[in-house]
Amino acid sequence: MKPFNRSKLPSSPAMLLDLGKLRAQFTGLNPRDPSIWPILPRMALLLLLSFLVLLGLWFSLLQGYQDTLAAEQNQEAKLREEFQEKLARAVNLEALKKQREQVRLTVNQLEKQLPSKAEMDALLSDINQAGLGRSLQFDLFRPGQVLVKEYYAELPISVRVSGRYHDIGAFVADVAKLSRIVTLNNLNIQPLPQREGVLAMEATAKTFRYLDADEVTAQRLAAAAAANAKAAKK
């Protein structure tokens, strides 16, 4: 390594004088009145203020860009989830179509088990004949008020029959085997004291029928009117 040569340092009196003048301009400055400062301190102050202003603008713009970037990243994540979901549906499209067809066939089969309004009398007769065929005595067979739902109507029937235990069981099985849907609810079986070996069964038989086109339209209009009335009250 070459030795440090002190002879190469600036030792010119003119240069030392210039450095002294520059240093003197930054000495004894009045911070309350920069307007009276020498030119170099004023230029340095102007550059510093410009740098600080640019730095503040940079950070403010950068913060805005960061917010925009975060929003776009969230949107990207959401779009990715939607894409994955739609991709899974597209992959399983054929299976979903087959499933929908199976559901449609099941619904059609169930609808066929629901009688129309014109077939209700025949269904009531079938229930009555099922009891008579098992040698049961009908003490009560009274259809109730029809309950209209959104797509079907429900008819409750109060039934009270009397007969032997096995005959009542066979009657319940025959009702379950009817081609139309009939359910027995609120079963109550008790022995008849005055008749040995004879039981009395009380139940509510419920059968269902589908609504015709006019009934469906009327039901939908009634539901819409009720919804509008409810919304008006609010």
Side-chain angles (χ1 to χ4, degrees):
M1 179 182 295
K2 294 181 179 181
F4 183 71
N5 191 356
R6 293 180 177 271
S7 62
K8 293 184 178 181
L9 292 176
S11 57
S12 172
M15 183 175 296
L16 293 176
L17 182 61
D18 291 340
L19 292 175
K21 289 181 179 180
L22 292 176
R23 190 179 300 110
Q25 291 190 30
F26 291 90
T27 304
L29 299 177
N30 183 7
R32 297 185 178 181
D33 191 6
S35 62
I36 62 175
W37 290 1
I39 184 64
L40 287 179
R42 281 188 289 172
M43 294 296 295
L45 179 62
L46 179 61
L47 291 175
L48 178 61
L49 292 177
S50 300
F51 174 75
L52 293 177
V53 171
L54 291 175
L55 188 63
L57 290 175
W58 169 256
F59 278 109
S60 63
L61 292 175
L62 184 61
Q63 183 63 38
Y65 290 143
Q66 287 179 344
D67 295 340
T68 303
L69 178 61
E72 293 297 331
Q73 288 176 340
N74 293 335
Q75 182 67 16
E76 180 186 6
K78 186 182 297 184
L79 291 176
R80 284 181 180 275
E81 292 179 0
E82 292 180 359
F83 173 76
Q84 294 295 335
E85 182 179 353
K86 292 180 179 179
L87 180 61
R89 290 181 181 178
V91 171
N92 299 323
L93 181 59
E94 293 300 324
L96 290 174
K97 286 182 177 179
K98 293 180 180 179
Q99 185 177 3
R100 184 185 63 179
E101 184 64 20
Q102 291 176 355
V103 171
R104 187 183 66 81
L105 293 175
T106 302
V107 171
N108 290 338
Q109 291 176 356
L110 292 176
E111 286 181 348
K112 290 178 181 179
Q113 291 184 276
L114 297 179
S116 64
K117 184 188 298 185
E119 296 172 323
M120 287 298 293
D121 292 339
L123 178 58
L124 297 179
S125 177
D126 290 341
I127 298 174
N128 187 43
Q129 289 298 322
L132 296 178
R134 295 299 178 177
S135 302
L136 299 180
Q137 178 180 343
F138 276 89
D139 301 317
L140 177 66
F141 189 85
R142 183 175 63 235
Q145 183 67 32
V146 177
L147 301 177
V148 179
K149 306 294 184 178
E150 186 174 0
Y151 296 105
Y152 66 92
E154 176 183 314
L155 176 63
I157 307 168
S158 298
V159 177
R160 183 168 65 247
V161 297
S162 58
R164 296 191 177 276
Y165 175 80
H166 292 289
D167 294 335
I168 291 178
F171 165 68
V172 173
D174 291 341
V175 171
K177 294 177 182 178
L178 290 176
S179 59
R180 304 301 185 179
I181 297 176
V182 179
T183 62
L184 293 176
N185 308 272
N186 304 324
L187 291 172
N188 184 17
I189 301 177
Q190 294 181 349
L192 290 178
Q194 65 275 21
R195 299 172 61 185
E196 183 178 358
V198 177
L199 301 176
M201 182 187 75
E202 294 184 1
T204 301
K206 290 184 179 180
T207 184
F208 310 87
R209 67 172 176 85
Y210 64 83
L211 303 179
D212 56 31
D214 294 337
E215 289 176 318
V216 171
T217 302
Q219 186 70 5
R220 290 179 178 176
L221 291 176
N228 293 333
K230 185 177 181 180
K233 290 182 180 180
K234 293 180 179 181

